[in-house]
Amino acid sequence: MHIRTTEQFPYSVIEEDLRIPMPDGTRLYARVWRPDIAGPEHPVPVLLEYLPYRLSDWTAPRDAQRHPWYAGHGYASVRVDVRGQGNSEGLPGDEYDETELADGVAVLEWLAAQPWSTGRTGMFGISWGGFNSLQLAARAPESLHAVVTVCSADDRYDNDVHYTGGSVLAVDMHAWASTMLAFFSRPPDPRHIGDDWRDMWRQRLEALDPLIHTWLDHQTRDDYWKHGSVCEDYSAIQAPVLAVGGWHDPYRDTVLRLVEHLPREGTAPVRGLIGPWSHQYPDRGLPPGPAIGFLQETLRWWDHWLKDEDTGVLEEPLLRSWISESHPPATVYPELPGRWVGDARWPSAGVTMTTWGLPGAASAGPVLVRSPQHTGVDAGRYFPFGNDSDLPPDQREEDSRSVCFDYDPLAEPLEILGRPRVRLRLTSEVPRGQVIARVCDVAPDGSSTLVTRGVLNLSARHGRDRVVDWEPGATEDVELDLNGIGHAFPAGHRIRLALSSAYWPWVWPQPGSAAGWSVEPAASALDLPVRDAVAAGDAERPAITFEEPEQAEPLDVRYPEVPGQRPERVVVRDVAADEWRLEVDPRYGGTRIYPDGLEFTEDALETYTIGASDPGSARTRSDWSIRLRRPELGWDVRIRVRSEITADGADFRTWNEVVCAEGETEVFRRCWERRIPRTAG
């Protein structure tokens, strides 16, 4: 990776903190990096990253890698904290609520009107910032001329952190709600706010309400989830979009949908890029790699749309994808083997959906799928961040808890690109249940590497917007799409389809689901998106290459060693109780000391517990502690959050507590308990 100091940029960089006024008088905290030439005589385009994650501490190391780099290449690059977060005034709200989006439009208008601005703006971001970039593009503000959205979603219900296939994402809906409760409880920083920090903090704390309440109140795809889901009307997006994802990020299907539904040509075209990455910017070098020169690649996008320079971005294939070669199962890969391919349109002329009947189906009768409830403990992390235990280990134990259909060893290599589909004829004796399908690459030595997977809540089989219970004893045909993937199966390997009726803790088990369901193999099939390099035109296209990663000089943040640090991921089995417990340390950042003297400590532990034969025994717990300290100011605050969820056949039961202290004095404590009717999830 090439690290540049500001002296090595084409332009010298000026950094400035600002307050951007909103129409109601609320001021949002912003940091601006801009080239020294920027001014009324030499205005420059403006790039915006708009997040709730505190620019003065939590994202500061990441911000330092990219915003000064853009500024050194002739842009004003701006990082803004969402209202009620970090050092911005106002009260925190829900994800992507109307206030956040209206504020975003106002921020763009303000930036476009500055004397150092040409009036042309672009938005970029990963995850939350990628979400609201798309959502603001759908509002078509006049100044917004281009978007780069990374690891984001077009569908807030079925491709976000809350639900999948109509089922509650136990693994991350709860953990993320608890994380947000802890994050929303953090105070402004007196170094930037002054003596008003304490009053601002108190107002925020009094306004707190755990987001898990709202998310569980909406268990089907209703108007709440449609708000902010740009898939409701792709045509509303009026800015060119560079959509970026990674095969190990849960949001990668959004890239495939955007390149399918947004125009390839015209004034607001789309281009897609999917690499081997986790939920990270592709230049950061976090596993799995290889990393690319992502900042340079985005600069081509900005220069084309914001400076009218012909950088060749529209000559790129509609979709550039990484095809991973077969690899042994592991929880982390520094780099994956594979190659880049390009497709001129999507769905691609080089990809054919081929039907594979289930092996042995001709002679097989109905097969009972009744998985133990701890099936899924080897699923890996829903949001891989590049940590050592993120990815799924060898799937042989998971396969043993599932019903597997193994195809004959491949006589020749086979590549897939896109979303596989599973079609099943099922019989269920209970009204509620779930289907989980996994496709694995089985090597001659028997090792099983997860390729992709999908989930279907059977009550959502006729649409995510409704609940249709299964008539006990009835037989129906159902379909579920698996997550998109680019993968090459080598000759001699087997393709395995594994079916299970449980997948804890990814999805919360349905009441009565221990009974499982039966599948008729003869009436079921696996559809694979098989890619043919000749039909795709690979030979006629120049090889796809990227520059080496390049970043600005890193922020001088120190990460002290923490003695006795717990493991990232532990599975514990209580043999006598037949109970399984998964303990996860998400490792978002840990303890760090910033160059301005701020000491930031965070610790989190997620716990998921279930009995092997009892879906009603499922319970989750999330514990957070955060400390912010400035010794030179005598400032020392602590936040502790504890959150738990259990469920029976009728209700989810949630319990949340927030405790805040200044020094040794407790200044806030609140506990919320709720029973939420279990209508669908």
Side-chain angles (χ1 to χ4, degrees):
M1 181 179 295
H2 182 201
I3 303 299
R4 287 196 177 196
T5 64
T6 53
E7 291 79 12
Q8 296 172 312
F9 293 143
Y11 301 99
S12 297
V13 176
I14 297 171
E15 178 182 329
E16 181 183 13
D17 285 5
L18 302 171
R19 271 72 175 175
I20 299 178
M22 296 295 97
D24 66 355
T26 301
R27 299 181 303 164
L28 304 189
Y29 188 69
R31 182 160 293 162
V32 180
W33 294 262
R34 61 179 185 265
D36 60 350
I37 63 164
E41 299 299 320
H42 296 283
V44 296
V46 184
L47 306 178
L48 170 64
E49 187 177 22
Y50 177 49
L51 292 169
Y53 299 142
R54 299 175 64 101
L55 66 89
S56 62
D57 49 62
W58 210 64
T59 66
R62 189 180 79 192
D63 296 343
Q65 293 174 328
R66 57 207 64 251
H67 288 280
W69 193 94
Y70 285 136
H73 287 81
Y75 289 84
S77 196
V78 184
R79 173 68 174 82
V80 176
D81 279 341
V82 168
R83 177 186 295 247
Q85 306 293 340
N87 298 315
S88 287
E89 297 173 351
L91 301 178
D94 196 358
E95 296 176 313
Y96 325 115
D97 63 13
E98 182 60 31
T99 299
E100 175 186 335
L101 298 183
D103 283 351
V105 172
V107 168
L108 288 170
E109 291 176 348
W110 188 89
L111 293 173
Q114 296 312 295
W116 34 262
S117 169
T118 62
R120 289 184 173 186
T121 63
M123 278 195 76
F124 72 92
I126 181 171
S127 199
W128 194 307
F131 274 71
N132 63 25
S133 294
L134 283 176
Q135 293 166 19
L136 286 169
R139 298 195 170 206
E142 184 178 353
S143 76
L144 186 60
H145 281 59
V147 165
V148 175
T149 181
V150 184
C151 297
S152 71
D154 59 340
D155 185 343
R156 291 189 55 225
Y157 178 73
D158 212 36
N159 195 197
D160 196 357
V161 73
H162 317 94
Y163 294 85
T164 183
S167 288
V168 170
L169 264 169
V171 71
D172 236 67
M173 181 196 272
H174 182 203
W176 193 243
S178 175
T179 300
M180 288 295 93
L181 188 58
F183 282 12
F184 286 12
S185 299
R186 294 173 297 181
D189 188 333
R191 184 176 187 270
H192 302 281
I193 294 299
D195 293 339
D196 290 341
W197 75 269
R198 192 177 285 107
D199 289 340
M200 290 174 63
W201 190 27
R202 170 63 65 177
Q203 291 168 11
R204 290 182 187 179
L205 293 173
E206 294 295 340
L208 282 178
D209 186 46
L211 294 178
I212 193 67
H213 298 160
T214 303
W215 298 345
L216 285 176
D217 279 339
H218 299 273
Q219 293 173 37
T220 58
R221 195 172 187 281
D222 57 13
D223 288 342
Y224 172 79
W225 299 110
K226 292 177 183 178
H227 168 79
S229 291
V230 299
C231 62
E232 292 295 306
D233 182 10
Y234 290 109
S235 67
I237 297 176
Q238 296 297 305
V241 174
L242 176 60
V244 183
W247 292 131
H248 290 94
D249 178 73
Y251 297 157
R252 73 262 200 174
D253 292 340
T254 285
V255 178
L256 298 178
R257 287 191 292 268
L258 290 174
V259 296
E260 178 179 358
H261 294 288
L262 294 182
R264 188 187 190 284
E265 308 294 344
T267 58
V270 65
R271 290 295 183 271
L273 174 63
I274 309 180
W277 312 301
S278 63
H279 194 72
Q280 293 287 352
Y281 279 120
D283 58 291
R284 299 194 71 198
L286 295 168
I292 66 169
F294 183 64
L295 290 175
Q296 300 98 299
E297 191 64 23
T298 59
L299 186 65
R300 296 175 62 212
W301 192 254
W302 304 129
D303 284 351
H304 181 96
W305 297 110
L306 302 182
K307 293 185 177 179
D308 296 325
E309 296 179 7
D310 184 4
T311 60
V313 293
L314 295 185
E315 298 169 12
E316 300 289 357
L318 177 67
L319 177 65
R320 289 172 288 174
S321 310
W322 177 266
I323 304 288
S324 293
E325 295 178 7
S326 183
H327 44 276
T331 59
V332 66
Y333 305 90
E335 288 196 0
L336 284 170
R339 76 185 205 284
W340 290 101
V341 300
D343 288 275
R345 60 185 178 88
W346 193 263
S348 171
V351 176
T352 303
M353 193 65 82
T354 59
T355 297
W356 295 51
L358 300 193
S363 59
V367 177
L368 178 63
V369 179
R370 185 167 61 196
S371 307
Q373 294 302 305
H374 64 284
T375 305
V377 294
D378 284 338
R381 187 173 183 169
Y382 181 73
F383 266 108
F385 275 87
N387 293 338
D388 289 343
S389 67
D390 280 0
L391 304 184
D394 195 317
Q395 294 291 282
R396 278 181 278 196
E397 290 191 33
E398 295 284 66
D399 295 346
S400 72
R401 297 186 276 260
S402 308
V403 171
C404 296
F405 297 91
D406 284 8
Y407 294 90
D408 291 337
L410 293 168
E412 56 186 28
L414 181 141
E415 290 187 355
I416 61 173
L417 178 62
R419 302 190 69 185
R421 180 182 303 116
V422 175
R423 295 180 282 123
L424 304 172
R425 180 163 292 172
L426 302 185
T427 302
S428 176
E429 301 298 333
V430 295
R432 297 286 178 96
Q434 288 146 325
V435 176
I436 297 88
R438 292 178 294 115
V439 170
C440 296
D441 181 342
V442 182
D445 66 1
S447 60
S448 179
T449 301
L450 182 68
V451 175
T452 186
R453 57 195 150 191
V455 174
L456 176 65
N457 182 348
L458 290 178
S459 70
R461 66 195 182 279
H462 296 305
R464 305 296 192 260
D465 59 344
R466 69 201 74 173
V467 177
V468 181
D469 284 345
W470 198 283
E471 181 182 346
T475 299
E476 293 188 32
D477 293 332
V478 302
E479 293 186 1
L480 65 153
D481 288 331
L482 311 190
N483 296 124
I485 195 66
H487 184 83
F489 295 91
H493 283 220
R494 294 176 181 265
I495 297 174
R496 172 174 291 164
L497 173 64
L499 302 176
S500 64
S501 58
Y503 209 52
W504 176 260
W506 272 47
V507 294
W508 205 284
Q510 289 284 347
S513 61
W517 36 264
S518 295
V519 59
E520 295 182 29
S524 303
L526 169 65
D527 296 331
L528 291 176
V530 176
R531 187 178 190 277
D532 181 85
V534 174
D538 287 0
E540 295 112 41
R541 184 178 296 114
I544 295 173
T545 60
F546 297 94
E547 296 182 42
E548 289 298 309
E550 186 172 293
Q551 294 173 351
E553 189 174 7
L555 194 66
D556 184 21
V557 178
R558 291 183 289 125
Y559 296 87
E561 288 191 15
V562 178
Q565 188 173 43
R566 68 171 73 90
E568 288 182 15
R569 194 175 190 91
V570 175
V571 178
V572 179
R573 181 186 182 188
D574 183 332
V575 176
D578 201 16
E579 183 178 81
W580 294 72
R581 184 174 75 253
L582 175 64
E583 298 176 352
V584 179
D585 183 337
R587 300 272 177 98
Y588 285 124
T591 299
R592 51 242 195 231
I593 301 173
Y594 291 85
D596 66 359
L598 175 67
E599 298 176 8
F600 190 111
T601 305
E602 65 181 31
D603 181 72
L605 180 65
E606 304 164 13
T607 307
Y608 306 93
T609 308
I610 199 164
S613 59
D614 181 11
S617 64
R619 60 187 185 274
T620 62
R621 174 169 169 169
S622 178
D623 292 272
W624 266 90
S625 64
I626 296 174
R627 184 181 185 186
L628 297 163
R629 183 169 175 262
R630 287 194 175 279
E632 77 282 5
L633 298 180
W635 184 62
D636 188 357
V637 297
R638 305 169 195 247
I639 299 100
R640 180 174 59 82
V641 169
R642 177 180 165 191
S643 180
E644 299 181 13
I645 302 180
T646 59
D648 55 27
D651 300 301
F652 287 103
R653 297 185 298 276
T654 67
W655 185 89
N656 292 274
E657 182 182 55
V658 175
V659 180
C660 300
E662 184 180 349
E664 299 300 321
T665 303
E666 183 177 302
V667 297
F668 180 85
R669 179 186 292 263
R670 180 169 293 174
C671 180
W672 298 261
E673 292 186 69
R674 277 196 59 183
R675 295 180 71 94
I676 301 173
R678 196 168 183 187
T679 58

